[in-house]
Amino acid sequence: MTGLGALLLLVVSVPLAAAVLAALASAQVGFAPTVGRVGPAAAGLSLGLSVAVAVVVFCPGAAPVAADLWPAAGGPAPLALVGDRVSVALLLLVCSVSTVVQVFARRYLTADPRAGWFTAAAGLLTAASAGLMCAATLLTFALCWSAAGVALWLLLGTYRRLPAARDGQARTARAFLLGDGALWLAVLLATDRFGTVSLRHADQTRVREQLSGHPATLGVIACLLVLAALSRSAQLPLHRWLPATLAAPTPVSALLHAGVVNAGGVLLVRLAPLIHPSAAASVLAVTAGGFTAAYAGVLMLTKPDIKGALTYSTMGQMGFMVLTAGLGLYAATLFHLIAHGLYKASLFLSSGTQTHRVLRRAGAPPAPRLGPARRAGALVLATVVPAAALASAQLLLPGGTRGASTGALLVFAWASAETALHAWLSRSATSRSTLIISAAIGVACALYVGLVHLFTTTLAPALPDDAPAGAAPWLLLGAALVLAWLSTLIRHAGSGSGLIARVHHSVYVNALAAGHVTPARTLRIIARLTPHRTTSSPRLDPVTAGGTP
């Protein structure tokens, strides 16, 4: 092991040592304030070490950093870490989010008797997620994957005395056991048939050649791996665990974005040689990702609480991530994974500030309603400005990036910018504010194009080549886009009366009910208290009967 390999190993080991120290100290003397500094300090040290590794790895012509944890005679090590450009970029995401969250949690959990539990579990989660990002073999990846799941389960039990927290743990355990079981079955099949499977970018050609003669086995392995990704990223039909995690402290919700809920995208990118050759696995990923994005997007719009809306927003964003990976657009998957992880973690940490803003806005006088002509003008302006800015920046950028990944990111950027601009223009009717916000959106879109170009060109040497899938996944994507457009049309046209208004009302009520997660114990109590309906008994209203709609 070289010196840089030892440095990479330290990035993973330091948070793990901090977790053990925090657990032992809390068990012996209770959680002292000095012990609370261990977690943030360890995460910050890992961040500094990962920055040092990144400086070396991102130098032109530099070779990836490697660390063999269990050397094997006459063959590749079954347990090893690798630091190439992709894994180091993901490592920076994990360590930076973990550092900020644990610094925030020191004050958030001041004098909380469960602060020691949080510090120990957060250190374990940071170490497991860091190892997951740098895994050089399939076995290493699976071990770190399961360790991260256990760490999250422990974090969700921070306030285990609450029924909602226990329900969240139970739902998470069921979903993770199914996904981890699928992953370990795939590991056993792959190891038994092919031996140690390397995840190093330099070995991808050899791995593809090794797997090409076993299409049936490879198809089973690929579908199992996609199932594991769907479970960890809360995709349909394994999505119910994520909305049930809100009983945990807010820092836990933010820490989810340090390589836990977005670990499904990491799996689909890092294990692309095993997954992409299977058309069935690609269709499964695209179908689940597309429908989850549409489903969670609708539910997000109906949630009355900020953390609940952010949770369903995360689920929808992970749907887009899984969808792009299923389409073989790995650069888009990785860019979205990192950007969303940083952005959504910051939103969760600032959810208290958002609550104060909502309350202050509720006391303000209502904004004047725009007339039909102004509403139509706002819609046209919100549609045209982002599209023109993105297209102009893409054309004017020297050596601008092309390809399906860039196209997918630009479509996502246009949809986000159009929604933001339209929401602003619907509230503000002055010419000055319209000009300012339109210019700001245009500049932001141009900067976004430049950032995508920088990202893709920098990580290209270690990224799997984009391999757009066949016709079936793209047809499913088109169907999902049509459904999203129809839901938006219904939302904007839902006021008034008539068929569209009734459809809008029905969608809203059903989405509101679907977004409510009732603990299983409460459902059992309701089932015992609610009389069984017979043909002669009157129809009971679920609210008056003590149930939930």
Side-chain angles (χ1 to χ4, degrees):
M1 184 186 302
T2 63
L4 288 174
L7 203 64
L8 187 64
L9 182 58
L10 277 176
V11 174
V12 179
S13 302
V14 169
L16 182 60
V20 173
L21 178 62
L24 292 177
S26 299
Q28 294 295 326
V29 297
F31 190 73
T34 54
V35 182
R37 302 189 184 99
V38 172
L45 179 57
S46 290
L47 177 59
L49 294 174
S50 61
V51 169
V53 174
V55 169
V56 175
V57 170
F58 282 101
C59 288
V65 178
D68 291 341
L69 307 180
W70 183 7
L79 295 179
L81 301 176
V82 62
D84 56 20
R85 295 191 176 191
V86 168
S87 60
V88 169
L90 293 169
L91 195 61
L92 291 173
L93 168 69
V94 170
C95 295
S96 59
V97 171
S98 178
T99 301
V100 173
V101 168
Q102 293 196 62
V103 170
F104 178 91
R106 273 200 63 211
R107 296 189 64 184
Y108 186 91
L109 298 175
T110 298
D112 193 314
R114 299 291 284 173
W117 179 280
F118 172 86
T119 301
L124 176 60
L125 181 62
T126 303
S129 299
L132 182 72
M133 304 309 168
C134 299
T137 64
L138 184 58
L139 179 60
T140 310
F141 188 93
L143 287 172
C144 295
W145 177 280
S146 295
V150 171
L152 176 62
W153 184 84
L154 293 173
L155 281 170
L156 296 180
T158 302
Y159 298 140
R160 187 166 169 76
R161 66 183 184 277
L162 301 177
R166 295 195 297 271
D167 181 69
Q169 276 192 303
R171 290 177 184 270
T172 302
R174 288 193 292 269
F176 282 16
L177 284 174
L178 178 60
D180 286 29
L183 175 61
W184 279 104
L185 182 56
V187 171
L188 292 175
L189 288 174
T191 304
D192 178 68
R193 183 61 61 92
F194 312 115
T196 299
V197 179
S198 174
L199 305 184
R200 291 180 171 91
H201 182 71
D203 297 335
Q204 285 193 4
T205 301
R206 181 178 60 82
V207 171
R208 286 193 180 97
E209 293 174 353
Q210 185 182 11
L211 304 178
S212 59
H214 306 83
T217 303
L218 185 58
V220 173
I221 292 173
C223 290
L224 290 172
L225 292 175
V226 171
L227 180 61
L230 299 183
S231 168
R232 188 59 59 93
S233 292
Q235 301 295 285
L236 293 171
L238 306 173
H239 63 290
R240 298 292 286 177
W241 71 266
L242 185 59
T245 62
L246 296 181
T250 296
V252 175
S253 300
L255 200 57
L256 275 170
H257 297 81
V260 181
V261 71
N262 42 16
V266 177
L267 183 151
L268 296 174
V269 172
R270 297 295 305 279
L271 307 185
L274 295 172
I275 297 173
H276 190 71
S278 171
S282 298
V283 170
L284 177 60
V286 171
T287 304
F291 280 103
T292 302
Y295 170 83
V298 172
L299 265 60
M300 177 199 68
L301 297 174
T302 66
K303 291 298 291 181
D305 60 303
I306 290 177
K307 286 183 65 176
L310 290 177
T311 298
Y312 280 104
S313 172
T314 292
M315 188 188 300
Q317 299 285 351
M318 294 302 98
F320 177 80
M321 177 192 70
V322 171
L323 185 147
T324 54
L327 292 173
L329 312 180
Y330 302 117
T333 301
L334 196 63
F335 182 88
H336 187 74
L337 186 158
I338 294 175
H340 174 265
L342 294 172
Y343 176 65
K344 193 55 67 68
S346 67
L347 285 184
F348 268 106
L349 293 182
S350 61
S351 57
T353 304
Q354 293 297 324
T355 302
H356 287 296
R357 289 178 180 174
V358 170
L359 292 176
R360 188 166 59 248
R361 192 182 301 129
R369 293 181 59 87
L370 301 180
R374 298 297 295 269
R375 287 203 303 269
L379 181 60
V380 171
L381 193 62
T383 303
V384 171
V385 169
L390 291 169
S392 301
Q394 179 72 2
L395 293 174
L396 296 176
L397 187 67
T401 53
R402 301 292 185 268
S405 272
T406 301
L409 289 173
L410 294 183
V411 169
F412 179 83
W414 171 81
S416 301
E418 190 274 341
T419 301
L421 183 55
H422 187 264
W424 179 275
L425 295 177
S426 298
R427 293 195 302 265
S428 177
T430 65
S431 301
R432 183 172 179 271
S433 62
T434 299
L435 181 62
I436 292 175
I437 191 61
S438 299
I441 290 290
V443 172
C445 289
L447 292 176
Y448 182 86
V449 172
L451 185 60
V452 169
H453 174 71
L454 178 63
F455 180 87
T456 52
T457 54
T458 302
L459 298 188
L463 271 174
D465 295 330
D466 281 357
W474 287 100
L475 290 175
L476 289 172
L477 173 60
L481 291 175
V482 170
L483 288 175
W485 177 78
L486 287 176
S487 65
T488 304
L489 179 64
I490 291 173
R491 181 184 176 223
H492 287 298
S495 58
S497 59
L499 177 61
I500 293 181
R502 289 196 298 272
V503 171
H504 176 269
H505 177 75
S506 176
V507 170
Y508 177 81
V509 171
N510 284 279
L512 193 63
H516 179 69
V517 179
T518 304
R521 184 172 180 270
T522 303
L523 292 176
R524 289 194 296 269
I525 293 174
I526 292 172
R528 289 198 299 268
L529 295 178
T530 303
H532 294 288
R533 185 181 302 160
T534 63
T535 54
S536 59
S537 61
R539 180 179 178 87
L540 294 175
D541 181 80
V543 176
T544 58
T548 56

